[in-house]
Amino acid sequence: LNQLANDFPGCIYWKNAEGVYLGCSQYYKLMIKFNAFEEVMGKIDSELWGEEHATAITKNDKEVMETGKPHTFY
């Protein structure tokens, strides 16, 4: 899955139902300015983005899980 995500030119990540990061693409890791995947894995949005942004991201994630429809941001 990691290799597949790295083949796409975009920010790809996946989390468990509790919002803990399980993986991400190389592009996503670089976008959030981390050097190693281990710096992202096991974290939650508030640890990466701060509380204000984490609230919006968590709301979006919950909606995606409830509806099954992905969201794309440009």
Side-chain angles (χ1 to χ4, degrees):
L1 191 54
N2 286 327
Q3 185 58 48
L4 182 62
N6 286 330
D7 289 341
F8 288 97
C11 296
I12 299 171
Y13 62 88
W14 51 99
K15 306 176 191 175
N16 65 18
E18 287 77 40
V20 177
Y21 282 84
L22 302 176
C24 69
S25 65
Q26 178 76 8
Y27 188 82
Y28 187 79
K29 179 185 66 99
L30 294 173
M31 184 194 75
I32 59 177
K33 297 180 174 49
F34 282 111
N35 297 314
F37 290 105
E38 294 77 21
E39 295 177 84
V40 179
M41 302 315 112
K43 297 224 173 28
I44 58 174
D45 290 316
S46 60
E47 294 174 291
L48 299 177
W49 303 106
E51 287 298 327
E52 183 178 333
H53 293 302
T55 301
I57 295 167
T58 300
K59 180 182 175 193
N60 177 70
D61 289 349
K62 184 177 179 180
E63 185 177 319
V64 169
M65 286 187 286
E66 288 174 353
T67 65
K69 296 179 182 177
H71 287 195
T72 302
F73 297 97
Y74 298 96

